[in-house]
Structure formats: structure tokens, C-alpha cells
Amino acid sequence: YPNPAQNFVTVNVVDPTLQNVEINITDLKGKVVLTQSVRPFDSISVTDLSSGMYIIHCTNDGVALGSFRLVKK
């Protein structure tokens, strides 16, 4: 959150035991535009991303946790 985002997105990891969640943000063509490791409630800067739609992919130790749409203003 927030979504749509302008500068930052906060990743709300529901399970606090997951301490090394990797975030990959891809454009709609599947190109990875940002990769970052996060902990629960970390913020990710999306300032450098162009306006548009992206997909946030969350994994933990190679296991997919979920994917979410992101709209960048």
C-alpha cells in the first residue's frame, strides 16, 4: 500500500517469521525492473519507475508467496 503509489510502497508480510522476503517488480512484459529483499512492513521506493502498471512478486526461499498489481502514478 498505497496503490496507486507515487514514491513508496509498503510491503505487508502477514507472517512475521518470514524475515527474508524477496520482492521482484516486473513490468507487464515480464521484465524485472526492481528486486529487493524486505522484512515485514518495509517500504520500497518506486520513485524511479515510470508511470504505469506493474506486478509485485513475493517469494521466500524460492517459494512463491503471492503476486499483486501495482499502479505507479
Side-chain angles (χ1 to χ4, degrees):
Y1 61 86
N3 197 3
Q6 188 166 5
N7 297 314
F8 293 92
V9 228
T10 300
V11 178
N12 184 3
V13 179
V14 178
D15 186 345
T17 63
L18 300 176
Q19 294 298 312
N20 295 313
V21 175
E22 183 164 298
I23 301 297
N24 287 307
I25 299 179
T26 62
D27 62 18
L28 294 182
K29 294 179 182 179
K31 178 183 175 189
V32 177
V33 294
L34 181 71
T35 298
Q36 186 171 330
S37 293
V38 297
R39 293 183 179 187
F41 301 104
D42 274 356
S43 292
I44 298 171
S45 174
V46 293
T47 304
D48 293 337
L49 297 180
S50 299
S51 296
M53 176 100 50
Y54 296 88
I55 306 295
I56 300 175
H57 304 275
C58 304
T59 60
N60 183 62
D61 293 328
V63 177
L65 300 176
S67 297
F68 311 93
R69 285 181 295 183
L70 167 65
V71 177
K72 167 66 166 68
K73 286 191 199 179

